[in-house]
Amino acid sequence: MSNGSPEERVSRVVQRLLVERSLSPAIQPDDDLRVAGLTSLDMISLVLAMEAEFGLLVPETHIKPDNFQSVAAISGLVTALLNVD
């Protein structure tokens, strides 16, 4: 597992995805990832990447645009899911 806070880890995964899509990886925690250029298909990749990064399963009920809108939103979701265990 990677080092860092959940937000730092989420940020690294999002930045990797942005670079893979040839988009600018310079984003702030509250920046809208769709505005940054990520598509709905990229959001699915993001769900899978978060599951792999944190070793958790994101329940279907939590896979909605609001939870994956920004690094801050994803970090909040991941933190909540990690604290459930």
Side-chain angles (χ1 to χ4, degrees), residues 34 47 58-69 77:
R34 289 167 293 192
V47 172
V58 178
E60 268 187 59
T61 55
H62 290 72
I63 301 174
K64 49 189 172 187
D66 287 352
N67 285 337
F68 289 87
Q69 181 173 339
L77 173 64

Side-chain angles (χ1 to χ4, degrees), residues 47-60:
V47 172
L48 298 173
M50 290 306 130
E51 291 180 336
E53 173 71 18
F54 291 95
L56 54 79
L57 180 65
V58 178
E60 268 187 59

Side-chain angles (χ1 to χ4, degrees), residues 62 77-85:
H62 290 72
L77 173 64
V78 166
T79 300
L81 293 173
L82 289 173
N83 289 331
V84 167
D85 293 337

Side-chain angles (χ1 to χ4, degrees), residues 21-59:
R21 300 296 181 266
S22 300
L23 302 167
S24 171
I27 56 164
Q28 297 301 311
D30 291 319
D31 287 352
D32 189 322
L33 298 176
R34 289 167 293 192
V35 173
L38 294 184
T39 66
S40 54
L41 286 177
D42 293 327
M43 294 300 175
I44 300 300
S45 296
L46 204 46
V47 172
L48 298 173
M50 290 306 130
E51 291 180 336
E53 173 71 18
F54 291 95
L56 54 79
L57 180 65
V58 178

